[in-house]
Amino acid sequence: MPPPDRFRYDGYTIDPADSVVVCRYATGAHGFTERFAFGQGGDWDDPAVMAAVRILYLLAGVSYYKTSAAPLVDLGELETTATERDFLRSFYVNGLGEFAYRNGLDLRGLRVPCRRSATNPTPAGP
């Protein structure tokens, strides 16, 4: 079976009552869920908290990306700026340097396009 051609970001949800963030990713027919639990309290509606959750979602995907090392990272409906996509691509390529070396992979061709660009990105929540 050939490896999947894309790694997908499938969204995230925030449960303010339980102070939990759930991030979803997929590659091929395999789905992955990352659950982050935080201490009770805090203002989940604060724009700074929302921005931090969004960045958490973007960066946490790298662990699951390694399951396929697909040549394309599909951000789905998440709005991102060109700067964010460049940063994310660099995070993958440079952050996975040892992983790539040990597995004989060349990640320099990794693509991180998106369907929606924004100057002020909005969260990709529920």
Side-chain angles (χ1 to χ4, degrees), residues 2-88:
D5 64 347
R6 73 182 57 229
F7 174 75
R8 293 188 326 267
Y9 279 69
D10 284 347
Y12 66 88
T13 56
I14 299 171
D15 180 351
D18 289 331
S19 297
V20 170
V21 174
V22 176
C23 303
R24 294 176 308 284
Y25 311 95
T27 187
H30 302 284
F32 308 99
T33 301
E34 182 77 30
R35 184 178 183 276
F36 297 93
F38 298 92
Q40 291 296 314
D43 181 1
W44 286 95
D45 293 323
D46 183 322
V49 172
M50 294 302 295
V53 168
R54 192 172 166 282
I55 294 299
L56 173 68
Y57 170 61
L58 283 170
L59 299 181
V62 74
S63 293
Y64 298 102
Y65 169 81
K66 293 186 289 185
T67 62
S68 71
L72 176 82
V73 173
D74 179 353
L75 299 177
E77 295 300 314
L78 183 65
E79 292 182 9
T80 56
T81 65
T83 301
E84 288 174 319
R85 289 187 302 279
D86 289 345
F87 171 78
L88 188 59

Side-chain angles (χ1 to χ4, degrees), residues 7 15 89 97 111 114 124:
F7 174 75
D15 180 351
R89 184 184 175 285
R111 294 179 294 130
C114 86

Side-chain angles (χ1 to χ4, degrees), residues 105-121:
L105 302 171
D106 183 355
L107 299 179
R108 292 177 293 181
L110 180 66
R111 294 179 294 130
V112 186
C114 86
R115 293 183 198 122
R116 302 165 90 184
S117 290
T119 53
N120 293 314

